[in-house]
Amino acid sequence: MGDVKIYGWVDDTSMDGKCAVVRIDPAAGRTREFEACGSGTRETFSVTYDDQNVAEVTLRLR
């Protein structure tokens, strides 16, 4: 087992009233969400899950 490190950013690039959302779902541990709402908005993130070897990362509009 190692550590899973996920970092980056999510941008909202459209004036459609929706938010861009990144969801990080580890095999074990707390699920995290990062959201950018409003055109031109950016949210940066950096998450580490210790003693993990997998996490699912998804991007969607909400």
Side-chain angles (χ1 to χ4, degrees):
M1 286 290 201
D3 297 338
V4 173
K5 298 179 183 184
I6 303 155
Y7 57 92
W9 67 89
V10 58
D11 283 329
D12 186 347
T13 60
S14 187
M15 295 176 55
D16 59 4
K18 296 180 181 177
C19 298
V21 180
V22 168
R23 180 182 172 108
I24 304 169
D25 232 344
R30 186 171 68 118
T31 297
R32 302 283 307 270
E33 285 191 349
F34 301 91
E35 117 182 334
C37 297
S39 183
T41 303
R42 174 180 279 194
E43 180 72 24
T44 60
F45 55 88
S46 179
V47 178
T48 300
Y49 293 102
D50 297 327
D51 300 322
Q52 296 287 315
N53 60 4
V54 66
E56 183 177 319
V57 181
T58 56
L59 170 65
R60 66 175 182 227
L61 293 176
R62 175 174 27 209

